[in-house]
Amino acid sequence: MSHNTFGHLFRVTTWGESHGPAIGCVVDGCPPRLPLSEADIQPFLDRRRPGQSRFTTQRQEPDQVRILSGVFEGQTTGTPIALEITNVDQRSKDYGDIAARFRPGHADLTYTLKYGIRDYRGGGRSSARETAMRVAAGAVARKLLGPGVRIQGALVQIGPHPIDRARWDWDEVERNPFFCPDAEAATLWTEYLDGVRKAGSSVGAVIELVAEGVPPGLGAPLYGKLDADLAAALMSINAVKGVEIGDGFAAATLRGEDNADPMRMENGMVRFGSNHAGGILGGISTGQPIVARFAVKPTSSILTPVPSVDQAGNEVEVATKGRHDPCVGIRAVPVGEAMLACVLADHLLRHRAQNPDAQGEARLPARG
Amino acid sequence: MSHNTFGHLFRVTTWGESHGPAIGCVVDGCPPRLPLSEADIQPFLDRRRPGQSRFTTQRQEPDQVRILSGVFEGQTTGTPIALEITNVDQRSKDYGDIAARFRPGHADLTYTLKYGIRDYRGGGRSSARETAMRVAAGAVARKLLGPGVRIQGALVQIGPHPIDRARWDWDEVERNPFFCPDAEAATLWTEYLDGVRKAGSSVGAVIELVAEGVPPGLGAPLYGKLDADLAAALMSINAVKGVEIGDGFAAATLRGEDNADPMRMENGMVRFGSNHAGGILGGISTGQPIVARFAVKPTSSILTPVPSVDQAGNEVEVATKGRHDPCVGIRAVPVGEAMLACVLADHLLRHRAQNPDAQGEARLPARG
Amino acid sequence: MSHNTFGHLFRVTTWGESHGPAIGCVVDGCPPRLPLSEADIQPFLDRRRPGQSRFTTQRQEPDQVRILSGVFEGQTTGTPIALEITNVDQRSKDYGDIAARFRPGHADLTYTLKYGIRDYRGGGRSSARETAMRVAAGAVARKLLGPGVRIQGALVQIGPHPIDRARWDWDEVERNPFFCPDAEAATLWTEYLDGVRKAGSSVGAVIELVAEGVPPGLGAPLYGKLDADLAAALMSINAVKGVEIGDGFAAATLRGEDNADPMRMENGMVRFGSNHAGGILGGISTGQPIVARFAVKPTSSILTPVPSVDQAGNEVEVATKGRHDPCVGIRAVPVGEAMLACVLADHLLRHRAQNPDAQGEARLPARG
Amino acid sequence: MSHNTFGHLFRVTTWGESHGPAIGCVVDGCPPRLPLSEADIQPFLDRRRPGQSRFTTQRQEPDQVRILSGVFEGQTTGTPIALEITNVDQRSKDYGDIAARFRPGHADLTYTLKYGIRDYRGGGRSSARETAMRVAAGAVARKLLGPGVRIQGALVQIGPHPIDRARWDWDEVERNPFFCPDAEAATLWTEYLDGVRKAGSSVGAVIELVAEGVPPGLGAPLYGKLDADLAAALMSINAVKGVEIGDGFAAATLRGEDNADPMRMENGMVRFGSNHAGGILGGISTGQPIVARFAVKPTSSILTPVPSVDQAGNEVEVATKGRHDPCVGIRAVPVGEAMLACVLADHLLRHRAQNPDAQGEARLPARG
């Protein structure tokens, strides 16, 4: 991960500002002869798109993706895949205030201190809009991984309200505007978040990601660990402040006996009796589901005025009216899934480069 | 981060197995004319060294570092700095059992599934011994950062027992065997951990890292964010299962008003009234202290037998006798500090490459 | 250099096929606050554009570049600069034959053997059309380098006809369709190349590049040598088969006495009496002009039938009618300049990351 | 290629100075379960070792390599392979003069201008001694490539005296002290080089490398071209001033008809009637032998005094007495072979990561 490029062999470079003419990305290193069209990508973008419920910003971005290169007669060619979305909802008239003032919790100040200049329109490069390209790249990564690898995400907590994991139902995730796997929690959250929204406030959230069908062996000691790359990938999403694998921070409270995942043989494969490890040991996938969580801070744009400063060094107060997600964590679900897909795709390529004979299942080698 | 190399401009490549003839690292990209000798590195290694209290493994590794290149007449030359530690305590006789069996919670199985071979002696490459080289590299990074950047770490929780943050005293950290900043907690932990140790059990921990004096502007959108690289760096340490920046997972529970860090001017500088952000906004340092935490799982080597399998596919039970840390989180403190130092050093170089005129303090540019 | 990305800190990623909807590139790592508009880039593209004389292909590509990101109010912002050119002259009707047959000397066969698929329209990704984006990126690199670094290229040989170096005149380069610095040679070449063209044949060429005003100290031992990166950059241009620095292959014939560049002091600076080294010693710039040459093979598309095979494994003959440069070396001049500019820009950033106090001139340090 | 690391997946990081305690390298990314011991590496080091004839420096470096990690029970483990050679012939007393004066043609001045400091003992990091580690890494790369890929090098020109290619005999290469494939040329060179040596002079050389059995498909458009990476690899060797692939600079003089390599089918494979391309088209291997040449300048250390300057800015004259190769090109033969091996190993891994189904022979896919 360096600057605006992510990945080692499956490499994604994104570009574009919230209110520029377009945003885009280049996906390099994708294997050839994968069937790919805009129709494979668009559904994932549609899931992330704002304006689909009253709990996400009312900006209307059709987010129509175009493939500009790397696909020929419906198949990838092995050359760079350029994806692009034209920006159509650029309300540049809105940005008088933001141009001169640093919004607390945003990147306005840090971009200014780093670069001495910033594109203040809609947050410029630091806008959550960039995550659309992550989702697009993630759709390509899923094609590479194939149907055997199932990547899903869910919102498991909004503000202080976690789901009840006993009620987890993946089907439920697509039935409510929160990607929530617990129908009762979704009902409760509706009321709760309506209150937050009407108060012009915001709240944080926790997202859980699960990848099933991941072959064992992905990841590389010691600085290319699967969990290290995944941590970076998730932490690179806007507003993320924490990342966990498996039991995560809860593991710190456990005794060794309670954290151990026992192993047994089953049909010639090594199987586990539990998954505290979240599918990764020593930085390498075990074959169990990869489980990761990440925490998103509350949207920084709120109605309550917060003391700040302006470009000229005056002390001011900043309050944000207008179109903002009361909980950016909701739309972070498809973004997190996409980053997980990209990390797995990259490591799948890296793994088979070094280990072309690896079996892709938890079968013990004749010797070891 | 790729394979066994960490960093983009300040690059650390480590090598070596627990029971091989030596371990080492190459630090490439270090600026020239920094005063450097073994005496600058050894104290950090000594802090991490096992066998200093009954709460860490009783292996006796003198861990005497040698500088083999890149330093001339007491100064760095700008060429690669090779650091090496000869392994002296190699009890290879101990490894009969481990050779054939996969220890639960360790990388034994995943290395085997990935590579079809593993150096089972002391965990080979996956041994915590490798972290000695991180600490050595971190000492070089500190030299680069200079005395203005102060990096400290502390253990803030052992098992279910957190410190009382009201009693935080940095001086206390060096006075107890836990790197604990709360004297009372240290007393309580002594008794608690003695019980864990005598039971042949183990427990997890949480470490907090603070870097003060970090100039604003470090970090790069979007995949080279300071917090993304830091998350990868910390997650790459053995046994780490979670990473947080600033308020971390607690931020998910907050309302926007409670998470906002107000800004004001002070002597021409932008200052903040709080630090929920942990010193990073939009992936770029604000000039406030960088605050990160990471969770370490309980040591997997415990006396209680855990079902497992062996190399031949037989179901077995694995129990570990002998020299092991009841809480690997303790010695993770200097390791975490070192990784933070390396990340900051790398980003300092990257920042000044692109922004040679940046002021290194939170002073607003004439225009922006 | 990896896949479709070039450079370490000043990073250029290109994408696009000859007959796709567009080609483009992303320039990442560019410093902020450089004045930049399409008008800074277009003139360099116009120099490379086909159809400007009878010695280059008659395709009409307006090659109008658009900046899609990374520039705000006329200045770079430090975020990725996306450049794009819409393809307008896509005569897809022409490609019946090429679709099924492998053109000798082209990448048709190797792309097929590697990827099992190729975009045959106009050569797809392997088309010289991609070099337009190198030229565009090079224009950005020149902005970064500033007016103190002057990069020029010239054609010094066509087929067996070299220029007379005694007649070298940089002003002449812009006065003839060959970028030839020797007016007499240009006249001779006109007649010669007319003959080649009318015969449906083609011929190779040698290009010389000179960069003046390059500060000493650029380059890094040992695998980031300035000349190593330059060799890769030039060899990555289509049809290039050789690269030289300074005296190049001629140096192999010399005795040590004849190859030595004597040094002296002049106004406190180290100056050289000759430049056999081409401005680079030990992989690091000396402050003298950087001099490089590269050889371009004859255009592979010729009227003479050449035995080949087709996709189905039949033996066929391939002859190429139509719009092709009789000497692709001519348009390689601005491409070579651009690659040199990109390499220097990248190394300037890398150098000042590690050596912020370097003086940028050949003045000896107080100690060393 | 960046700083002191070479390669993308098969990564070699070297360290060490000529007169430091040791030199070494870390080979990362090597596949597991390759049989490897010091005995596989030592013969290649012995070929490069100085002091084997009167035409190479009389320094006595036993160059005994040790494997310090990454090999277990005679097999690679997939973890970093650390190789190390202790320096035993450190005549530090010799370096009084060199400490203060910049030797013309060497890196003394440029290291000083870049870093403000240099390890002057034996050239420090810029010494040809570093190439021993390239040779060691190359031996590992050969293991990875397997016996099907045959890499050989030969000296084809010394000073103005080329070999007669009609007399090329690979067996001859090991029979004379020049790695010369032409027995008559070797006899002539003996007399010629004796004269050069006795005069305290030096002379340049050209080396040719051939790799047979390379599967088609290695290399990646456009900045990871096989020839681009090879050009960088060879240009990174000390004293190299030019690199060619296939016909190289001679291709510039050819007409298209004369440069075309006709294709035909043979046993279901695509075969070529000639190899002007040197086995690479569009940056990707064709399956034909890879042919590359590189030019080495005359050794800069000569008896004839050359005007120079010293550290204090005084004008001086530098003449070099003592142990130096009259033609460094001779020992560059095994170094060039090693770099070619490393480039091929890296690209083999990169290729199979993206194209796991590629057949490794020039057989046309069912469709394409």
Side-chain angles (χ1 to χ4, degrees):
Chain A
M1 302 236 307
S2 138
H3 301 306
N4 293 278
T5 296
F6 168 70
H8 197 75
L9 287 184
F10 183 85
R11 295 157 66 88
V12 179
T13 302
T14 72
W15 57 267
E17 283 89 30
S18 174
H19 286 58
I23 59 173
C25 72
V26 185
V27 179
D28 198 8
C30 187
R33 283 170 291 123
L34 298 176
L36 188 71
S37 73
E38 279 93 349
D40 292 309
I41 303 170
Q42 196 62 47
F44 294 98
L45 288 167
D46 291 346
R47 276 184 92 208
R48 192 212 71 100
R49 199 174 55 198
Q52 305 196 94
S53 82
R54 66 185 180 276
F55 303 118
T56 56
T57 168
Q58 294 308 301
R59 273 196 310 275
Q60 291 300 329
E61 296 276 6
D63 280 0
Q64 200 70 39
V65 71
R66 283 189 309 147
I67 299 175
L68 296 183
S69 70
V71 174
F72 182 61
E73 298 183 343
Q75 288 191 307
T76 59
T77 61
T79 60
I81 302 168
L83 304 174
E84 196 168 307
I85 296 174
T86 303
N87 288 332
V88 296
D89 184 35
Q90 306 167 26
R91 301 198 188 179
S92 55
K93 62 183 174 296
D94 285 346
Y95 292 94
D97 256 16
I98 290 179
R101 294 164 170 218
F102 302 121
R103 294 169 300 161
H106 283 277
D108 299 349
L109 175 72
T110 50
Y111 273 58
T112 300
L113 291 176
K114 182 177 186 71
Y115 297 122
I117 185 174
R118 71 188 162 104
D119 181 346
Y120 49 75
R121 300 166 304 161
R125 181 71 181 146
S126 70
S127 164
R129 178 137 186 70
E130 186 267 349
T131 60
M133 297 323 302
R134 300 175 184 238
V135 170
V140 180
R142 285 178 194 255
K143 278 283 183 181
L144 190 168
L145 293 168
V149 177
R150 295 166 303 286
I151 295 168
Q152 292 175 284
L155 208 66
V156 297
Q157 183 175 327
I158 276 198
H161 303 297
I163 61 161
D164 179 345
R165 302 182 80 90
R167 289 195 295 257
W168 191 297
D169 176 5
W170 277 114
D171 292 338
E172 192 58 37
V173 164
E174 303 300 323
R175 292 194 200 116
N176 61 67
F178 306 108
F179 302 107
C180 176
D182 168 359
E184 289 189 34
T187 304
L188 186 144
W189 291 357
T190 302
E191 189 175 357
Y192 170 72
L193 204 57
D194 262 333
V196 169
R197 183 177 58 85
K198 286 173 185 162
S201 181
S202 66
V203 73
V206 176
I207 292 92
E208 183 162 320
L209 303 171
V210 179
E212 292 173 291
V214 176
L218 305 199
L222 279 160
Y223 303 110
K225 281 181 172 169
L226 186 59
D227 38 0
D229 281 352
L230 184 52
L234 298 177
M235 194 65 94
S236 78
I237 301 172
N238 286 22
V240 173
K241 302 302 284 184
V243 177
E244 293 185 322
I245 307 294
D247 280 9
F249 276 86
T253 68
L254 297 179
R255 301 278 285 242
E257 303 82 59
D258 305 317
N259 186 61
D261 294 319
M263 289 179 260
R264 65 176 190 282
M265 296 306 297
E266 197 178 293
N267 300 326
M269 308 280 189
V270 181
R271 294 288 178 243
F272 290 83
S274 57
N275 190 16
H276 296 285
I280 302 174
L281 284 174
I284 297 171
S285 62
T286 62
Q288 286 199 288
I290 306 288
V291 180
R293 272 176 306 284
F294 60 101
V296 176
K297 69 178 184 181
T299 316
S300 296
S301 299
I302 50 175
L303 204 58
T304 305
V306 179
S308 183
V309 300
D310 70 10
Q311 198 85 39
N314 304 305
E315 300 193 338
V316 297
E317 292 216 315
V318 173
T320 309
K321 288 164 228 164
R323 309 170 302 169
H324 287 282
D325 296 66
C327 176
V328 284
I330 299 171
R331 292 204 288 136
V333 173
V335 179
E337 290 175 358
M339 294 311 288
L340 175 51
C342 288
V343 169
L344 291 174
D346 188 38
H347 273 282
L348 183 65
L349 300 188
R350 291 163 70 170
H351 176 57
R352 74 184 178 204
Q354 194 184 15
N355 300 281
D357 308 325
Q359 310 184 57
E361 49 184 17
R363 197 176 294 278
L364 294 172
R367 73 165 301 288
Chain B
M1 301 237 306
S2 140
H3 301 305
N4 293 278
T5 297
F6 168 70
H8 197 76
L9 287 184
F10 183 85
R11 296 157 65 87
V12 179
T13 301
T14 72
W15 57 267
E17 282 87 32
S18 173
H19 286 57
I23 58 173
C25 73
V26 185
V27 179
D28 197 9
C30 186
R33 281 169 293 122
L34 298 175
L36 186 72
S37 74
E38 280 92 350
D40 293 307
I41 302 171
Q42 196 61 47
F44 294 98
L45 288 167
D46 291 346
R47 278 185 90 209
R48 191 210 73 100
R49 199 173 56 196
Q52 306 195 94
S53 83
R54 67 183 178 279
F55 303 119
T56 57
T57 169
Q58 294 307 300
R59 273 195 310 275
Q60 293 298 330
E61 296 276 5
D63 281 358
Q64 201 71 38
V65 72
R66 283 190 308 148
I67 299 174
L68 295 184
S69 70
V71 174
F72 182 61
E73 298 183 344
Q75 289 191 309
T76 59
T77 61
T79 60
I81 302 167
L83 305 175
E84 196 167 306
I85 296 175
T86 302
N87 287 333
V88 295
D89 184 34
Q90 306 165 26
R91 300 199 188 179
S92 54
K93 61 181 174 298
D94 284 344
Y95 292 94
D97 256 15
I98 290 180
R101 297 166 169 216
F102 302 122
R103 296 169 299 162
H106 283 277
D108 298 350
L109 176 71
T110 50
Y111 273 58
T112 299
L113 291 175
K114 183 178 186 71
Y115 297 123
I117 185 175
R118 73 191 161 101
D119 181 346
Y120 50 75
R121 301 167 303 161
R125 181 69 181 147
S126 70
S127 164
R129 179 136 187 72
E130 185 267 351
T131 59
M133 297 323 303
R134 301 175 184 238
V135 171
V140 180
R142 285 177 194 256
K143 276 285 185 178
L144 190 167
L145 292 166
V149 177
R150 294 166 303 286
I151 295 169
Q152 291 174 286
L155 208 66
V156 296
Q157 183 175 329
I158 275 198
H161 303 297
I163 61 161
D164 179 345
R165 303 182 78 89
R167 288 196 295 258
W168 191 297
D169 175 5
W170 279 114
D171 290 339
E172 192 58 36
V173 164
E174 304 300 324
R175 289 193 202 117
N176 59 68
F178 305 108
F179 301 109
C180 176
D182 168 0
E184 288 189 32
T187 305
L188 184 142
W189 291 357
T190 302
E191 189 176 358
Y192 170 72
L193 205 57
D194 262 332
V196 169
R197 184 175 59 85
K198 286 171 185 166
S201 182
S202 66
V203 73
V206 177
I207 292 93
E208 182 161 320
L209 303 170
V210 179
E212 294 174 290
V214 176
L218 303 200
L222 279 160
Y223 303 109
K225 281 180 173 171
L226 186 59
D227 36 2
D229 281 352
L230 185 52
L234 298 177
M235 194 66 92
S236 79
I237 301 171
N238 286 21
V240 173
K241 302 302 283 185
V243 177
E244 296 185 320
I245 306 295
D247 280 10
F249 276 85
T253 67
L254 297 179
R255 300 280 284 244
E257 304 81 61
D258 303 318
N259 186 59
D261 294 318
M263 289 178 260
R264 65 175 191 283
M265 296 305 297
E266 196 178 292
N267 300 326
M269 308 280 189
V270 181
R271 294 287 179 241
F272 290 82
S274 58
N275 190 16
H276 296 284
I280 302 175
L281 283 174
I284 298 170
S285 63
T286 62
Q288 286 198 289
I290 307 288
V291 180
R293 269 178 307 284
F294 60 102
V296 177
K297 70 177 182 182
T299 316
S300 297
S301 300
I302 50 175
L303 203 57
T304 304
V306 179
S308 182
V309 300
D310 70 10
Q311 199 86 36
N314 303 304
E315 300 194 337
V316 296
E317 294 216 314
V318 173
T320 309
K321 288 164 229 166
R323 309 169 303 170
H324 288 281
D325 297 66
C327 177
V328 284
I330 299 171
R331 291 204 289 135
V333 173
V335 180
E337 290 175 359
M339 294 311 288
L340 175 51
C342 288
V343 170
L344 292 174
D346 188 38
H347 274 282
L348 183 66
L349 300 188
R350 291 164 70 170
H351 176 58
R352 74 184 178 204
Q354 193 184 16
N355 300 280
D357 308 323
Q359 307 184 59
E361 50 183 18
R363 195 176 295 278
L364 294 172
R367 74 164 299 288
Chain C
M1 303 236 306
S2 140
H3 301 307
N4 293 278
T5 297
F6 169 70
H8 198 77
L9 287 184
F10 183 84
R11 294 157 66 89
V12 179
T13 301
T14 72
W15 56 267
E17 282 89 30
S18 174
H19 286 57
I23 57 173
C25 73
V26 185
V27 179
D28 198 9
C30 187
R33 281 169 293 123
L34 298 175
L36 186 71
S37 72
E38 280 92 349
D40 293 308
I41 302 170
Q42 197 61 47
F44 294 98
L45 287 167
D46 292 345
R47 276 185 92 210
R48 192 211 73 100
R49 199 172 57 196
Q52 304 197 93
S53 83
R54 66 183 179 279
F55 302 118
T56 57
T57 170
Q58 293 307 303
R59 274 195 309 275
Q60 293 298 329
E61 296 275 7
D63 281 359
Q64 200 71 38
V65 72
R66 282 191 309 148
I67 299 175
L68 295 184
S69 70
V71 173
F72 182 61
E73 298 183 343
Q75 288 191 308
T76 59
T77 62
T79 61
I81 301 167
L83 305 175
E84 196 168 305
I85 296 175
T86 303
N87 287 334
V88 296
D89 185 34
Q90 305 166 25
R91 301 199 188 178
S92 54
K93 62 182 174 298
D94 284 345
Y95 293 93
D97 256 15
I98 291 180
R101 295 166 170 218
F102 302 121
R103 296 169 298 162
H106 283 277
D108 300 349
L109 175 72
T110 49
Y111 273 59
T112 300
L113 291 175
K114 183 178 186 71
Y115 297 123
I117 185 174
R118 72 190 161 103
D119 181 346
Y120 50 75
R121 300 167 303 163
R125 180 70 181 146
S126 70
S127 165
R129 179 135 186 72
E130 185 267 351
T131 58
M133 297 325 302
R134 300 175 185 239
V135 171
V140 180
R142 285 177 194 255
K143 277 285 184 179
L144 190 167
L145 292 166
V149 177
R150 294 165 304 286
I151 295 168
Q152 292 174 285
L155 208 65
V156 297
Q157 184 175 328
I158 275 197
H161 303 297
I163 61 161
D164 179 345
R165 303 182 77 90
R167 288 197 295 258
W168 192 297
D169 175 4
W170 279 114
D171 291 338
E172 192 57 37
V173 165
E174 303 300 325
R175 289 193 201 118
N176 60 67
F178 305 108
F179 302 108
C180 176
D182 168 359
E184 288 190 33
T187 304
L188 186 142
W189 291 357
T190 303
E191 189 176 358
Y192 170 72
L193 204 56
D194 262 333
V196 169
R197 183 176 58 84
K198 286 173 185 165
S201 182
S202 66
V203 73
V206 177
I207 292 93
E208 182 161 321
L209 303 170
V210 180
E212 294 174 289
V214 175
L218 304 199
L222 280 157
Y223 304 110
K225 280 180 173 170
L226 186 59
D227 37 1
D229 280 351
L230 185 51
L234 298 177
M235 194 66 92
S236 79
I237 301 171
N238 286 21
V240 173
K241 302 302 284 185
V243 177
E244 295 184 320
I245 306 294
D247 280 9
F249 276 85
T253 68
L254 296 179
R255 300 279 284 244
E257 304 80 58
D258 304 317
N259 186 59
D261 295 317
M263 290 178 260
R264 64 176 191 283
M265 296 305 297
E266 197 179 292
N267 300 325
M269 308 281 189
V270 181
R271 294 288 179 241
F272 289 82
S274 56
N275 190 16
H276 297 282
I280 302 174
L281 284 174
I284 298 171
S285 63
T286 63
Q288 285 199 288
I290 306 289
V291 180
R293 269 177 308 284
F294 61 102
V296 177
K297 70 177 182 182
T299 316
S300 297
S301 301
I302 50 174
L303 203 56
T304 305
V306 178
S308 183
V309 300
D310 69 10
Q311 198 87 36
N314 303 305
E315 299 195 338
V316 297
E317 293 217 314
V318 173
T320 308
K321 288 164 227 164
R323 307 170 304 170
H324 288 281
D325 297 65
C327 177
V328 284
I330 299 171
R331 292 205 287 136
V333 173
V335 180
E337 290 175 358
M339 294 312 288
L340 176 50
C342 288
V343 170
L344 292 174
D346 188 39
H347 274 282
L348 184 64
L349 299 188
R350 290 164 71 171
H351 176 57
R352 76 184 176 202
Q354 193 183 16
N355 300 279
D357 308 325
Q359 307 183 56
E361 50 183 18
R363 196 176 295 277
L364 294 172
R367 75 165 297 289
Chain D
M1 302 238 304
S2 139
H3 301 307
N4 293 278
T5 297
F6 169 70
H8 197 76
L9 286 184
F10 183 85
R11 295 156 68 88
V12 179
T13 301
T14 71
W15 56 268
E17 282 88 31
S18 174
H19 285 58
I23 58 173
C25 73
V26 185
V27 179
D28 197 9
C30 187
R33 283 170 290 123
L34 299 176
L36 186 71
S37 73
E38 280 93 349
D40 293 307
I41 302 170
Q42 196 62 45
F44 294 98
L45 287 167
D46 291 346
R47 277 184 91 208
R48 192 211 72 99
R49 199 173 56 197
Q52 305 196 93
S53 83
R54 66 184 179 278
F55 303 118
T56 56
T57 170
Q58 293 308 301
R59 273 196 310 273
Q60 292 300 329
E61 295 274 8
D63 280 0
Q64 201 71 39
V65 70
R66 284 190 308 148
I67 299 175
L68 295 184
S69 69
V71 174
F72 182 61
E73 298 182 343
Q75 289 191 306
T76 60
T77 61
T79 61
I81 302 167
L83 304 174
E84 195 168 307
I85 296 174
T86 303
N87 288 332
V88 296
D89 185 34
Q90 305 166 26
R91 301 199 188 178
S92 53
K93 62 181 174 297
D94 284 346
Y95 292 94
D97 256 16
I98 290 180
R101 294 167 169 215
F102 302 122
R103 294 168 300 161
H106 284 277
D108 299 349
L109 175 71
T110 50
Y111 273 59
T112 300
L113 291 175
K114 182 177 187 73
Y115 297 123
I117 184 175
R118 72 189 161 102
D119 181 345
Y120 50 75
R121 300 167 304 163
R125 180 69 181 148
S126 70
S127 164
R129 180 138 186 70
E130 185 267 349
T131 60
M133 297 325 302
R134 300 174 184 239
V135 171
V140 180
R142 285 177 194 256
K143 278 285 184 180
L144 190 167
L145 292 167
V149 177
R150 294 165 304 285
I151 295 168
Q152 292 175 285
L155 208 67
V156 297
Q157 184 175 327
I158 276 197
H161 302 298
I163 62 161
D164 179 346
R165 303 182 79 89
R167 289 195 294 257
W168 191 297
D169 175 5
W170 279 114
D171 291 338
E172 193 57 38
V173 164
E174 304 300 324
R175 290 193 201 116
N176 61 68
F178 305 108
F179 302 107
C180 176
D182 168 359
E184 289 190 33
T187 305
L188 187 142
W189 292 356
T190 302
E191 188 176 359
Y192 170 72
L193 204 56
D194 262 332
V196 169
R197 184 176 58 84
K198 286 173 184 164
S201 183
S202 67
V203 72
V206 177
I207 292 93
E208 182 162 320
L209 303 171
V210 179
E212 293 174 289
V214 176
L218 304 199
L222 278 159
Y223 303 109
K225 281 181 174 170
L226 186 60
D227 38 1
D229 280 352
L230 185 51
L234 297 177
M235 193 67 91
S236 78
I237 301 170
N238 287 21
V240 173
K241 302 303 283 185
V243 177
E244 293 185 320
I245 307 294
D247 280 9
F249 276 86
T253 67
L254 296 179
R255 299 279 284 243
E257 304 81 58
D258 304 318
N259 186 59
D261 294 319
M263 290 178 260
R264 66 176 189 282
M265 297 304 298
E266 198 177 292
N267 299 327
M269 307 280 189
V270 182
R271 293 289 179 241
F272 289 83
S274 58
N275 190 16
H276 297 282
I280 302 174
L281 283 175
I284 298 170
S285 62
T286 63
Q288 287 199 287
I290 307 287
V291 180
R293 269 177 307 284
F294 61 101
V296 176
K297 69 178 183 182
T299 316
S300 296
S301 300
I302 50 174
L303 203 57
T304 305
V306 178
S308 183
V309 300
D310 69 11
Q311 198 87 39
N314 303 305
E315 299 193 339
V316 297
E317 294 215 314
V318 173
T320 309
K321 285 165 229 164
R323 309 169 303 169
H324 288 281
D325 295 67
C327 176
V328 284
I330 299 171
R331 292 204 288 136
V333 173
V335 180
E337 291 175 358
M339 294 311 288
L340 176 50
C342 288
V343 169
L344 292 174
D346 188 38
H347 274 282
L348 183 65
L349 300 188
R350 291 164 70 171
H351 176 58
R352 74 184 179 202
Q354 193 184 16
N355 301 280
D357 308 324
Q359 308 184 58
E361 50 184 16
R363 196 175 295 277
L364 294 172
R367 73 164 300 289

